[in-house]
PDB file of all heavy atoms in Angstrom:
ATOM      1  N   LEU E   1     -13.674  10.196  13.796  1.00  0.00           N
ATOM      2  CA  LEU E   1     -13.994  11.385  13.008  1.00  0.00           C
ATOM      3  C   LEU E   1     -13.017  11.696  11.886  1.00  0.00           C
ATOM      4  O   LEU E   1     -13.338  11.810  10.765  1.00  0.00           O
ATOM      5  CB  LEU E   1     -14.113  12.560  13.950  1.00  0.00           C
ATOM      6  CG  LEU E   1     -14.379  13.939  13.288  1.00  0.00           C
ATOM      7  CD1 LEU E   1     -15.815  13.916  12.822  1.00  0.00           C
ATOM      8  CD2 LEU E   1     -14.081  15.072  14.230  1.00  0.00           C
ATOM      9  N   ILE E   2     -11.693  11.743  12.202  1.00  0.00           N
ATOM     10  CA  ILE E   2     -10.702  12.014  11.193  1.00  0.00           C
ATOM     11  C   ILE E   2     -10.472  10.919  10.281  1.00  0.00           C
ATOM     12  O   ILE E   2     -10.201  11.068   9.059  1.00  0.00           O
ATOM     13  CB  ILE E   2      -9.447  12.590  11.752  1.00  0.00           C
ATOM     14  CG1 ILE E   2      -8.652  11.529  12.587  1.00  0.00           C
ATOM     15  CG2 ILE E   2      -9.633  13.880  12.564  1.00  0.00           C
ATOM     16  CD1 ILE E   2      -7.229  12.015  12.909  1.00  0.00           C
ATOM     17  N   GLY E   3     -10.639   9.655  10.760  1.00  0.00           N
ATOM     18  CA  GLY E   3     -10.504   8.525   9.853  1.00  0.00           C
ATOM     19  C   GLY E   3     -11.640   8.426   8.840  1.00  0.00           C
ATOM     20  O   GLY E   3     -11.460   8.232   7.616  1.00  0.00           O
ATOM     21  N   GLY E   4     -12.819   8.768   9.276  1.00  0.00           N
ATOM     22  CA  GLY E   4     -14.103   8.851   8.356  1.00  0.00           C
ATOM     23  C   GLY E   4     -13.886   9.976   7.395  1.00  0.00           C
ATOM     24  O   GLY E   4     -14.228   9.901   6.203  1.00  0.00           O
ATOM     25  N   ALA E   5     -13.399  11.114   7.857  1.00  0.00           N
ATOM     26  CA  ALA E   5     -13.186  12.288   6.870  1.00  0.00           C
ATOM     27  C   ALA E   5     -12.159  11.931   5.836  1.00  0.00           C
ATOM     28  O   ALA E   5     -12.347  12.206   4.612  1.00  0.00           O
ATOM     29  CB  ALA E   5     -12.625  13.528   7.771  1.00  0.00           C
ATOM     30  N   SER E   6     -11.080  11.258   6.176  1.00  0.00           N
ATOM     31  CA  SER E   6     -10.053  10.860   5.242  1.00  0.00           C
ATOM     32  C   SER E   6     -10.569   9.869   4.242  1.00  0.00           C
ATOM     33  O   SER E   6     -10.264   9.930   3.039  1.00  0.00           O
ATOM     34  CB  SER E   6      -8.762  10.424   5.891  1.00  0.00           C
ATOM     35  OG  SER E   6      -9.035   9.241   6.599  1.00  0.00           O
ATOM     36  N   GLY E   7     -11.384   8.973   4.775  1.00  0.00           N
ATOM     37  CA  GLY E   7     -12.029   7.919   3.816  1.00  0.00           C
ATOM     38  C   GLY E   7     -12.882   8.580   2.751  1.00  0.00           C
ATOM     39  O   GLY E   7     -12.800   8.175   1.577  1.00  0.00           O
ATOM     40  N   GLY E   8     -13.683   9.466   3.249  1.00  0.00           N
ATOM     41  CA  GLY E   8     -14.565  10.233   2.257  1.00  0.00           C
ATOM     42  C   GLY E   8     -13.842  11.054   1.274  1.00  0.00           C
ATOM     43  O   GLY E   8     -14.160  10.990   0.114  1.00  0.00           O
ATOM     44  N   LEU E   9     -12.710  11.687   1.761  1.00  0.00           N
ATOM     45  CA  LEU E   9     -11.904  12.437   0.823  1.00  0.00           C
ATOM     46  C   LEU E   9     -11.156  11.604  -0.154  1.00  0.00           C
ATOM     47  O   LEU E   9     -10.920  12.026  -1.302  1.00  0.00           O
ATOM     48  CB  LEU E   9     -10.963  13.194   1.656  1.00  0.00           C
ATOM     49  CG  LEU E   9     -11.507  14.440   2.400  1.00  0.00           C
ATOM     50  CD1 LEU E   9     -10.619  15.097   3.367  1.00  0.00           C
ATOM     51  CD2 LEU E   9     -12.084  15.435   1.397  1.00  0.00           C
ATOM     52  N   ILE E  10     -10.833  10.327   0.213  1.00  0.00           N
ATOM     53  CA  ILE E  10     -10.128   9.392  -0.765  1.00  0.00           C
ATOM     54  C   ILE E  10     -11.108   9.159  -1.884  1.00  0.00           C
ATOM     55  O   ILE E  10     -10.673   9.201  -3.090  1.00  0.00           O
ATOM     56  CB  ILE E  10      -9.723   8.160  -0.120  1.00  0.00           C
ATOM     57  CG1 ILE E  10      -8.422   8.316   0.873  1.00  0.00           C
ATOM     58  CG2 ILE E  10      -9.311   7.060  -1.170  1.00  0.00           C
ATOM     59  CD1 ILE E  10      -8.137   7.219   1.715  1.00  0.00           C
ATOM     60  N   GLY E  11     -12.315   8.944  -1.577  1.00  0.00           N
ATOM     61  CA  GLY E  11     -13.429   8.742  -2.614  1.00  0.00           C
ATOM     62  C   GLY E  11     -13.486   9.933  -3.508  1.00  0.00           C
ATOM     63  O   GLY E  11     -13.629   9.799  -4.778  1.00  0.00           O
ATOM     64  N   LEU E  12     -13.437  11.144  -2.977  1.00  0.00           N
ATOM     65  CA  LEU E  12     -13.591  12.345  -3.808  1.00  0.00           C
ATOM     66  C   LEU E  12     -12.335  12.549  -4.679  1.00  0.00           C
ATOM     67  O   LEU E  12     -12.535  13.032  -5.765  1.00  0.00           O
ATOM     68  CB  LEU E  12     -13.802  13.620  -2.932  1.00  0.00           C
ATOM     69  CG  LEU E  12     -15.131  13.629  -2.221  1.00  0.00           C
ATOM     70  CD1 LEU E  12     -15.232  14.847  -1.255  1.00  0.00           C
ATOM     71  CD2 LEU E  12     -16.322  13.755  -3.212  1.00  0.00           C
ATOM     72  N   VAL E  13     -11.179  12.194  -4.155  1.00  0.00           N
ATOM     73  CA  VAL E  13      -9.932  12.254  -4.998  1.00  0.00           C
ATOM     74  C   VAL E  13     -10.141  11.325  -6.246  1.00  0.00           C
ATOM     75  O   VAL E  13      -9.694  11.770  -7.363  1.00  0.00           O
ATOM     76  CB  VAL E  13      -8.705  11.968  -4.186  1.00  0.00           C
ATOM     77  CG1 VAL E  13      -7.507  11.726  -5.065  1.00  0.00           C
ATOM     78  CG2 VAL E  13      -8.493  13.052  -3.220  1.00  0.00           C
ATOM     79  N   PHE E  14     -10.715  10.137  -5.996  1.00  0.00           N
ATOM     80  CA  PHE E  14     -10.875   9.308  -7.209  1.00  0.00           C
ATOM     81  C   PHE E  14     -11.814   9.844  -8.255  1.00  0.00           C
ATOM     82  O   PHE E  14     -11.632   9.581  -9.436  1.00  0.00           O
ATOM     83  CB  PHE E  14     -11.318   7.892  -6.719  1.00  0.00           C
ATOM     84  CG  PHE E  14     -10.177   7.061  -6.097  1.00  0.00           C
ATOM     85  CD1 PHE E  14     -10.131   6.704  -4.809  1.00  0.00           C
ATOM     86  CD2 PHE E  14      -9.037   6.704  -6.916  1.00  0.00           C
ATOM     87  CE1 PHE E  14      -9.088   6.038  -4.284  1.00  0.00           C
ATOM     88  CE2 PHE E  14      -8.033   6.040  -6.372  1.00  0.00           C
ATOM     89  CZ  PHE E  14      -8.055   5.656  -4.992  1.00  0.00           C
ATOM     90  N   ILE E  15     -12.819  10.613  -7.752  1.00  0.00           N
ATOM     91  CA  ILE E  15     -13.646  11.311  -8.636  1.00  0.00           C
ATOM     92  C   ILE E  15     -12.859  12.334  -9.477  1.00  0.00           C
ATOM     93  O   ILE E  15     -13.122  12.535 -10.643  1.00  0.00           O
ATOM     94  CB  ILE E  15     -14.842  11.962  -7.955  1.00  0.00           C
ATOM     95  CG1 ILE E  15     -15.807  10.795  -7.357  1.00  0.00           C
ATOM     96  CG2 ILE E  15     -15.731  12.976  -8.879  1.00  0.00           C
ATOM     97  CD1 ILE E  15     -16.829  11.300  -6.429  1.00  0.00           C
ATOM     98  N   VAL E  16     -11.974  13.032  -8.825  1.00  0.00           N
ATOM     99  CA  VAL E  16     -11.176  14.059  -9.472  1.00  0.00           C
ATOM    100  C   VAL E  16     -10.345  13.461 -10.633  1.00  0.00           C
ATOM    101  O   VAL E  16     -10.163  14.024 -11.654  1.00  0.00           O
ATOM    102  CB  VAL E  16     -10.218  14.733  -8.453  1.00  0.00           C
ATOM    103  CG1 VAL E  16      -9.211  15.609  -9.166  1.00  0.00           C
ATOM    104  CG2 VAL E  16     -10.955  15.619  -7.517  1.00  0.00           C
ATOM    105  N   VAL E  17      -9.911  12.175 -10.419  1.00  0.00           N
ATOM    106  CA  VAL E  17      -9.168  11.480 -11.401  1.00  0.00           C
ATOM    107  C   VAL E  17      -9.832  11.436 -12.722  1.00  0.00           C
ATOM    108  O   VAL E  17      -9.369  11.559 -13.851  1.00  0.00           O
ATOM    109  CB  VAL E  17      -8.674  10.040 -10.962  1.00  0.00           C
ATOM    110  CG1 VAL E  17      -8.122   9.254 -12.032  1.00  0.00           C
ATOM    111  CG2 VAL E  17      -7.848  10.241  -9.805  1.00  0.00           C
ATOM    112  N   THR E  18     -11.233  11.281 -12.577  1.00  0.00           N
ATOM    113  CA  THR E  18     -12.075  11.220 -13.865  1.00  0.00           C
ATOM    114  C   THR E  18     -12.020  12.493 -14.650  1.00  0.00           C
ATOM    115  O   THR E  18     -12.364  12.566 -15.827  1.00  0.00           O
ATOM    116  CB  THR E  18     -13.542  10.814 -13.565  1.00  0.00           C
ATOM    117  OG1 THR E  18     -14.018  11.777 -12.641  1.00  0.00           O
ATOM    118  CG2 THR E  18     -13.578   9.429 -12.857  1.00  0.00           C
ATOM    119  N   LEU E  19     -11.725  13.602 -13.934  1.00  0.00           N
ATOM    120  CA  LEU E  19     -11.696  14.960 -14.624  1.00  0.00           C
ATOM    121  C   LEU E  19     -10.519  15.044 -15.576  1.00  0.00           C
ATOM    122  O   LEU E  19     -10.615  15.867 -16.495  1.00  0.00           O
ATOM    123  CB  LEU E  19     -11.756  16.041 -13.535  1.00  0.00           C
ATOM    124  CG  LEU E  19     -12.944  16.174 -12.717  1.00  0.00           C
ATOM    125  CD1 LEU E  19     -12.649  17.271 -11.625  1.00  0.00           C
ATOM    126  CD2 LEU E  19     -14.143  16.544 -13.533  1.00  0.00           C
ATOM    127  N   ILE E  20      -9.481  14.251 -15.283  1.00  0.00           N
ATOM    128  CA  ILE E  20      -8.301  14.405 -16.205  1.00  0.00           C
ATOM    129  C   ILE E  20      -8.202  13.288 -17.159  1.00  0.00           C
ATOM    130  O   ILE E  20      -7.179  12.911 -17.681  1.00  0.00           O
ATOM    131  CB  ILE E  20      -7.002  14.473 -15.283  1.00  0.00           C
ATOM    132  CG1 ILE E  20      -6.804  13.306 -14.410  1.00  0.00           C
ATOM    133  CG2 ILE E  20      -6.956  15.738 -14.546  1.00  0.00           C
ATOM    134  CD1 ILE E  20      -5.553  13.161 -13.713  1.00  0.00           C
ATOM    135  N   ARG E  21      -9.267  12.770 -17.532  1.00  0.00           N
ATOM    136  CA  ARG E  21      -9.459  11.691 -18.442  1.00  0.00           C
ATOM    137  C   ARG E  21      -8.824  11.883 -19.793  1.00  0.00           C
ATOM    138  O   ARG E  21      -8.189  10.959 -20.422  1.00  0.00           O
ATOM    139  CB  ARG E  21     -10.928  11.255 -18.589  1.00  0.00           C
ATOM    140  CG  ARG E  21     -11.314  10.094 -19.385  1.00  0.00           C
ATOM    141  CD  ARG E  21     -12.749   9.903 -19.258  1.00  0.00           C
ATOM    142  NE  ARG E  21     -13.455  11.114 -19.667  1.00  0.00           N
ATOM    143  CZ  ARG E  21     -14.767  11.361 -19.349  1.00  0.00           C
ATOM    144  NH1 ARG E  21     -15.347  10.410 -18.639  1.00  0.00           N
ATOM    145  NH2 ARG E  21     -15.348  12.471 -19.779  1.00  0.00           N
ATOM    146  N   GLY E  22      -8.921  13.056 -20.333  1.00  0.00           N
ATOM    147  CA  GLY E  22      -8.394  13.359 -21.697  1.00  0.00           C
ATOM    148  C   GLY E  22      -6.992  13.756 -21.806  1.00  0.00           C
ATOM    149  O   GLY E  22      -6.451  14.116 -22.864  1.00  0.00           O
ATOM    150  N   VAL E  23      -6.255  13.719 -20.698  1.00  0.00           N
ATOM    151  CA  VAL E  23      -4.874  14.183 -20.637  1.00  0.00           C
ATOM    152  C   VAL E  23      -3.951  13.167 -21.284  1.00  0.00           C
ATOM    153  O   VAL E  23      -4.154  11.973 -21.128  1.00  0.00           O
ATOM    154  CB  VAL E  23      -4.437  14.518 -19.233  1.00  0.00           C
ATOM    155  CG1 VAL E  23      -3.019  14.953 -19.145  1.00  0.00           C
ATOM    156  CG2 VAL E  23      -5.311  15.560 -18.601  1.00  0.00           C
ATOM    157  N   ASP E  24      -2.928  13.621 -21.971  1.00  0.00           N
ATOM    158  CA  ASP E  24      -1.871  12.714 -22.479  1.00  0.00           C
ATOM    159  C   ASP E  24      -1.416  11.819 -21.338  1.00  0.00           C
ATOM    160  O   ASP E  24      -0.982  12.282 -20.276  1.00  0.00           O
ATOM    161  CB  ASP E  24      -0.796  13.570 -23.043  1.00  0.00           C
ATOM    162  CG  ASP E  24       0.378  12.765 -23.541  1.00  0.00           C
ATOM    163  OD1 ASP E  24       0.180  11.568 -24.062  1.00  0.00           O
ATOM    164  OD2 ASP E  24       1.581  13.233 -23.405  1.00  0.00           O
ATOM    165  N   ALA E  25      -1.313  10.499 -21.705  1.00  0.00           N
ATOM    166  CA  ALA E  25      -0.993   9.485 -20.636  1.00  0.00           C
ATOM    167  C   ALA E  25       0.317   9.708 -20.010  1.00  0.00           C
ATOM    168  O   ALA E  25       0.467   9.632 -18.747  1.00  0.00           O
ATOM    169  CB  ALA E  25      -1.047   8.119 -21.218  1.00  0.00           C
ATOM    170  N   THR E  26       1.471  10.124 -20.731  1.00  0.00           N
ATOM    171  CA  THR E  26       2.730  10.305 -20.154  1.00  0.00           C
ATOM    172  C   THR E  26       2.739  11.468 -19.222  1.00  0.00           C
ATOM    173  O   THR E  26       3.244  11.369 -18.146  1.00  0.00           O
ATOM    174  CB  THR E  26       3.849  10.402 -21.205  1.00  0.00           C
ATOM    175  OG1 THR E  26       3.424  11.541 -22.049  1.00  0.00           O
ATOM    176  CG2 THR E  26       3.919   9.175 -22.077  1.00  0.00           C
ATOM    177  N   ILE E  27       2.045  12.506 -19.585  1.00  0.00           N
ATOM    178  CA  ILE E  27       1.975  13.736 -18.718  1.00  0.00           C
ATOM    179  C   ILE E  27       1.224  13.433 -17.473  1.00  0.00           C
ATOM    180  O   ILE E  27       1.669  13.716 -16.364  1.00  0.00           O
ATOM    181  CB  ILE E  27       1.352  14.930 -19.410  1.00  0.00           C
ATOM    182  CG1 ILE E  27       2.187  15.376 -20.536  1.00  0.00           C
ATOM    183  CG2 ILE E  27       1.051  16.069 -18.465  1.00  0.00           C
ATOM    184  CD1 ILE E  27       1.588  16.333 -21.480  1.00  0.00           C
ATOM    185  N   SER E  28       0.032  12.708 -17.610  1.00  0.00           N
ATOM    186  CA  SER E  28      -0.828  12.589 -16.405  1.00  0.00           C
ATOM    187  C   SER E  28      -0.185  11.508 -15.537  1.00  0.00           C
ATOM    188  O   SER E  28      -0.228  11.628 -14.318  1.00  0.00           O
ATOM    189  CB  SER E  28      -2.199  12.064 -16.858  1.00  0.00           C
ATOM    190  OG  SER E  28      -2.162  10.785 -17.391  1.00  0.00           O
ATOM    191  N   LEU E  29       0.602  10.464 -15.970  1.00  0.00           N
ATOM    192  CA  LEU E  29       1.191   9.457 -15.104  1.00  0.00           C
ATOM    193  C   LEU E  29       2.289  10.105 -14.299  1.00  0.00           C
ATOM    194  O   LEU E  29       2.469   9.849 -13.134  1.00  0.00           O
ATOM    195  CB  LEU E  29       1.696   8.302 -15.874  1.00  0.00           C
ATOM    196  CG  LEU E  29       0.600   7.352 -16.450  1.00  0.00           C
ATOM    197  CD1 LEU E  29       1.250   6.248 -17.345  1.00  0.00           C
ATOM    198  CD2 LEU E  29      -0.184   6.696 -15.153  1.00  0.00           C
ATOM    199  N   ARG E  30       3.147  10.912 -14.983  1.00  0.00           N
ATOM    200  CA  ARG E  30       4.242  11.578 -14.358  1.00  0.00           C
ATOM    201  C   ARG E  30       3.780  12.501 -13.264  1.00  0.00           C
ATOM    202  O   ARG E  30       4.223  12.607 -12.023  1.00  0.00           O
ATOM    203  CB  ARG E  30       5.142  12.354 -15.266  1.00  0.00           C
ATOM    204  CG  ARG E  30       6.401  12.894 -14.663  1.00  0.00           C
ATOM    205  CD  ARG E  30       7.275  13.659 -15.698  1.00  0.00           C
ATOM    206  NE  ARG E  30       6.493  14.680 -16.334  1.00  0.00           N
ATOM    207  CZ  ARG E  30       6.590  14.942 -17.577  1.00  0.00           C
ATOM    208  NH1 ARG E  30       7.351  14.340 -18.408  1.00  0.00           N
ATOM    209  NH2 ARG E  30       5.873  15.945 -18.129  1.00  0.00           N
ATOM    210  N   ASN E  31       2.713  13.346 -13.611  1.00  0.00           N
ATOM    211  CA  ASN E  31       2.141  14.289 -12.575  1.00  0.00           C
ATOM    212  C   ASN E  31       1.460  13.649 -11.517  1.00  0.00           C
ATOM    213  O   ASN E  31       1.361  14.238 -10.397  1.00  0.00           O
ATOM    214  CB  ASN E  31       1.304  15.426 -13.405  1.00  0.00           C
ATOM    215  CG  ASN E  31       2.199  16.313 -14.167  1.00  0.00           C
ATOM    216  OD1 ASN E  31       3.457  16.322 -14.068  1.00  0.00           O
ATOM    217  ND2 ASN E  31       1.694  16.930 -15.179  1.00  0.00           N
ATOM    218  N   ALA E  32       0.797  12.505 -11.815  1.00  0.00           N
ATOM    219  CA  ALA E  32       0.015  11.861 -10.735  1.00  0.00           C
ATOM    220  C   ALA E  32       0.915  11.442  -9.633  1.00  0.00           C
ATOM    221  O   ALA E  32       0.551  11.432  -8.428  1.00  0.00           O
ATOM    222  CB  ALA E  32      -0.799  10.667 -11.371  1.00  0.00           C
ATOM    223  N   GLY E  33       2.152  10.921  -9.960  1.00  0.00           N
ATOM    224  CA  GLY E  33       3.197  10.542  -8.993  1.00  0.00           C
ATOM    225  C   GLY E  33       3.577  11.709  -8.081  1.00  0.00           C
ATOM    226  O   GLY E  33       3.951  11.525  -6.938  1.00  0.00           O
ATOM    227  N   VAL E  34       3.530  12.898  -8.573  1.00  0.00           N
ATOM    228  CA  VAL E  34       3.920  14.089  -7.800  1.00  0.00           C
ATOM    229  C   VAL E  34       2.801  14.680  -7.035  1.00  0.00           C
ATOM    230  O   VAL E  34       2.926  15.155  -5.943  1.00  0.00           O
ATOM    231  CB  VAL E  34       4.590  15.133  -8.733  1.00  0.00           C
ATOM    232  CG1 VAL E  34       4.851  16.431  -7.983  1.00  0.00           C
ATOM    233  CG2 VAL E  34       5.817  14.521  -9.294  1.00  0.00           C
ATOM    234  N   TYR E  35       1.568  14.734  -7.706  1.00  0.00           N
ATOM    235  CA  TYR E  35       0.540  15.493  -7.087  1.00  0.00           C
ATOM    236  C   TYR E  35      -0.624  14.552  -6.526  1.00  0.00           C
ATOM    237  O   TYR E  35      -0.964  14.755  -5.388  1.00  0.00           O
ATOM    238  CB  TYR E  35      -0.097  16.460  -8.065  1.00  0.00           C
ATOM    239  CG  TYR E  35       0.833  17.661  -8.441  1.00  0.00           C
ATOM    240  CD1 TYR E  35       1.526  17.646  -9.661  1.00  0.00           C
ATOM    241  CD2 TYR E  35       1.033  18.591  -7.575  1.00  0.00           C
ATOM    242  CE1 TYR E  35       2.410  18.621  -9.992  1.00  0.00           C
ATOM    243  CE2 TYR E  35       1.938  19.686  -7.836  1.00  0.00           C
ATOM    244  CZ  TYR E  35       2.584  19.688  -9.088  1.00  0.00           C
ATOM    245  OH  TYR E  35       3.451  20.661  -9.384  1.00  0.00           O
ATOM    246  N   MET E  36      -1.139  13.648  -7.308  1.00  0.00           N
ATOM    247  CA  MET E  36      -2.315  12.908  -6.845  1.00  0.00           C
ATOM    248  C   MET E  36      -1.947  11.799  -5.924  1.00  0.00           C
ATOM    249  O   MET E  36      -2.612  11.628  -4.910  1.00  0.00           O
ATOM    250  CB  MET E  36      -2.989  12.318  -8.183  1.00  0.00           C
ATOM    251  CG  MET E  36      -4.281  11.654  -7.868  1.00  0.00           C
ATOM    252  SD  MET E  36      -5.638  12.801  -7.408  1.00  0.00           S
ATOM    253  CE  MET E  36      -5.837  13.686  -8.926  1.00  0.00           C
ATOM    254  N   SER E  37      -0.979  10.978  -6.279  1.00  0.00           N
ATOM    255  CA  SER E  37      -0.586   9.874  -5.473  1.00  0.00           C
ATOM    256  C   SER E  37      -0.220  10.280  -4.011  1.00  0.00           C
ATOM    257  O   SER E  37      -0.761   9.620  -3.089  1.00  0.00           O
ATOM    258  CB  SER E  37       0.549   9.092  -6.039  1.00  0.00           C
ATOM    259  OG  SER E  37       0.118   8.617  -7.327  1.00  0.00           O
ATOM    260  N   PRO E  38       0.511  11.313  -3.835  1.00  0.00           N
ATOM    261  CA  PRO E  38       0.842  11.651  -2.413  1.00  0.00           C
ATOM    262  C   PRO E  38      -0.382  12.068  -1.601  1.00  0.00           C
ATOM    263  O   PRO E  38      -0.491  11.692  -0.455  1.00  0.00           O
ATOM    264  CB  PRO E  38       1.773  12.861  -2.509  1.00  0.00           C
ATOM    265  CG  PRO E  38       2.419  12.646  -3.859  1.00  0.00           C
ATOM    266  CD  PRO E  38       1.366  11.992  -4.686  1.00  0.00           C
ATOM    267  N   ILE E  39      -1.348  12.763  -2.266  1.00  0.00           N
ATOM    268  CA  ILE E  39      -2.562  13.080  -1.505  1.00  0.00           C
ATOM    269  C   ILE E  39      -3.328  11.867  -1.044  1.00  0.00           C
ATOM    270  O   ILE E  39      -3.765  11.727   0.071  1.00  0.00           O
ATOM    271  CB  ILE E  39      -3.509  13.919  -2.459  1.00  0.00           C
ATOM    272  CG1 ILE E  39      -2.836  15.344  -2.727  1.00  0.00           C
ATOM    273  CG2 ILE E  39      -4.925  14.122  -1.760  1.00  0.00           C
ATOM    274  CD1 ILE E  39      -3.626  16.102  -3.809  1.00  0.00           C
ATOM    275  N   VAL E  40      -3.369  10.874  -1.901  1.00  0.00           N
ATOM    276  CA  VAL E  40      -4.082   9.589  -1.583  1.00  0.00           C
ATOM    277  C   VAL E  40      -3.348   8.927  -0.489  1.00  0.00           C
ATOM    278  O   VAL E  40      -3.880   8.262   0.471  1.00  0.00           O
ATOM    279  CB  VAL E  40      -4.246   8.697  -2.814  1.00  0.00           C
ATOM    280  CG1 VAL E  40      -4.785   7.297  -2.440  1.00  0.00           C
ATOM    281  CG2 VAL E  40      -5.166   9.358  -3.897  1.00  0.00           C
ATOM    282  N   PHE E  41      -2.013   8.890  -0.627  1.00  0.00           N
ATOM    283  CA  PHE E  41      -1.151   8.238   0.421  1.00  0.00           C
ATOM    284  C   PHE E  41      -1.405   8.940   1.763  1.00  0.00           C
ATOM    285  O   PHE E  41      -1.460   8.113   2.778  1.00  0.00           O
ATOM    286  CB  PHE E  41       0.340   8.212   0.093  1.00  0.00           C
ATOM    287  CG  PHE E  41       1.202   7.442   1.036  1.00  0.00           C
ATOM    288  CD1 PHE E  41       1.318   6.166   1.084  1.00  0.00           C
ATOM    289  CD2 PHE E  41       1.830   8.239   2.112  1.00  0.00           C
ATOM    290  CE1 PHE E  41       1.998   5.470   1.953  1.00  0.00           C
ATOM    291  CE2 PHE E  41       2.568   7.528   2.999  1.00  0.00           C
ATOM    292  CZ  PHE E  41       2.727   6.137   2.937  1.00  0.00           C
ATOM    293  N   HIS E  42      -1.363  10.247   1.807  1.00  0.00           N
ATOM    294  CA  HIS E  42      -1.585  10.925   3.063  1.00  0.00           C
ATOM    295  C   HIS E  42      -2.964  10.604   3.735  1.00  0.00           C
ATOM    296  O   HIS E  42      -3.035  10.361   4.886  1.00  0.00           O
ATOM    297  CB  HIS E  42      -1.348  12.401   2.924  1.00  0.00           C
ATOM    298  CG  HIS E  42      -0.074  12.811   2.309  1.00  0.00           C
ATOM    299  ND1 HIS E  42       1.083  12.059   2.507  1.00  0.00           N
ATOM    300  CD2 HIS E  42       0.309  13.822   1.516  1.00  0.00           C
ATOM    301  CE1 HIS E  42       2.109  12.673   1.867  1.00  0.00           C
ATOM    302  NE2 HIS E  42       1.613  13.828   1.194  1.00  0.00           N
ATOM    303  N   LEU E  43      -3.982  10.599   2.864  1.00  0.00           N
ATOM    304  CA  LEU E  43      -5.288  10.344   3.327  1.00  0.00           C
ATOM    305  C   LEU E  43      -5.471   8.934   3.747  1.00  0.00           C
ATOM    306  O   LEU E  43      -6.032   8.668   4.770  1.00  0.00           O
ATOM    307  CB  LEU E  43      -6.383  10.653   2.329  1.00  0.00           C
ATOM    308  CG  LEU E  43      -6.501  12.107   1.944  1.00  0.00           C
ATOM    309  CD1 LEU E  43      -7.421  12.287   0.748  1.00  0.00           C
ATOM    310  CD2 LEU E  43      -7.104  12.863   3.170  1.00  0.00           C
ATOM    311  N   ALA E  44      -4.795   8.016   3.046  1.00  0.00           N
ATOM    312  CA  ALA E  44      -4.792   6.568   3.458  1.00  0.00           C
ATOM    313  C   ALA E  44      -4.087   6.363   4.765  1.00  0.00           C
ATOM    314  O   ALA E  44      -4.459   5.563   5.649  1.00  0.00           O
ATOM    315  CB  ALA E  44      -4.218   5.766   2.422  1.00  0.00           C
ATOM    316  N   THR E  45      -2.936   7.104   5.045  1.00  0.00           N
ATOM    317  CA  THR E  45      -2.170   7.040   6.281  1.00  0.00           C
ATOM    318  C   THR E  45      -3.061   7.499   7.450  1.00  0.00           C
ATOM    319  O   THR E  45      -3.167   6.776   8.467  1.00  0.00           O
ATOM    320  CB  THR E  45      -1.012   7.951   6.223  1.00  0.00           C
ATOM    321  OG1 THR E  45      -0.091   7.454   5.182  1.00  0.00           O
ATOM    322  CG2 THR E  45      -0.229   8.010   7.577  1.00  0.00           C
ATOM    323  N   VAL E  46      -3.903   8.643   7.218  1.00  0.00           N
ATOM    324  CA  VAL E  46      -4.748   9.110   8.238  1.00  0.00           C
ATOM    325  C   VAL E  46      -5.855   8.018   8.550  1.00  0.00           C
ATOM    326  O   VAL E  46      -6.139   7.673   9.747  1.00  0.00           O
ATOM    327  CB  VAL E  46      -5.488  10.378   7.926  1.00  0.00           C
ATOM    328  CG1 VAL E  46      -6.534  10.815   8.897  1.00  0.00           C
ATOM    329  CG2 VAL E  46      -4.435  11.484   7.754  1.00  0.00           C
TER     330      VAL E  46
END
């Protein structure tokens, strides 16, 4: 149950990435390491 939930949420997080498509690359890369990447790592751990 929790593994399936985390797998589905990983997919949704990748959809969120498409929402920040127009952001300056340096800003988005720096912020992705602080905000987006840890979320994906935690879900992948689960």
Side-chain angles (χ1 to χ4, degrees):
L1 177 72
I2 65 168
S6 65
L9 288 168
I10 289 171
L12 291 174
V13 168
F14 285 113
I15 291 171
V16 169
V17 171
T18 63
L19 295 174
I20 58 174
R21 183 176 55 198
V23 178
D24 175 34
T26 57
I27 292 169
S28 68
L29 287 174
R30 184 179 61 218
N31 291 340
V34 174
Y35 292 104
M36 187 71 67
S37 298
I39 293 170
V40 173
F41 182 82
H42 304 327
L43 290 171
T45 297
V46 173

